[in-house]
Amino acid sequence: MSAPNGENEFLYELKAEVEIELTLAEASRPEEAAELPVTDWLFDPADAEREEIGLRGLVNAVEALEEDLRPGDHGA
């Protein structure tokens, strides 16, 4: 991730925030929670997995937008 400037500042901050959330989602270890009895769950493991997938999609979308905003990188 490069340092922010101008138009990229918002995307830079958004990507950083989403990556923090993704780290937290990965740390929740939903696969381990799924092995516990349902009464011991602090969260639904399926919801945690869906959240992680959604966050990965957001990171990919931000990266695609960053690519579009880079001058001179467009193959024409």
Side-chain angles (χ1 to χ4, degrees), residues 13-74:
E13 291 175 8
L14 177 62
K15 185 175 178 184
E17 191 69 30
V18 172
E19 286 177 338
I20 290 169
E21 291 293 326
L22 181 56
T23 300
L24 292 172
E26 291 170 343
S28 69
R29 299 185 179 157
E31 64 280 354
E32 290 178 11
E35 295 173 1
L36 297 172
V38 174
T39 55
D40 292 345
W41 287 359
L42 298 176
F43 57 86
D44 184 335
D47 288 342
E49 287 181 32
R50 280 190 290 273
E51 180 180 8
E52 186 176 335
I53 290 166
L55 290 168
R56 288 184 191 283
L58 282 174
V59 168
N60 291 337
V62 170
E63 288 173 349
L65 288 172
E66 287 176 331
E67 287 290 321
D68 287 346
L69 291 176
R70 288 191 189 133
D73 279 355
H74 304 288

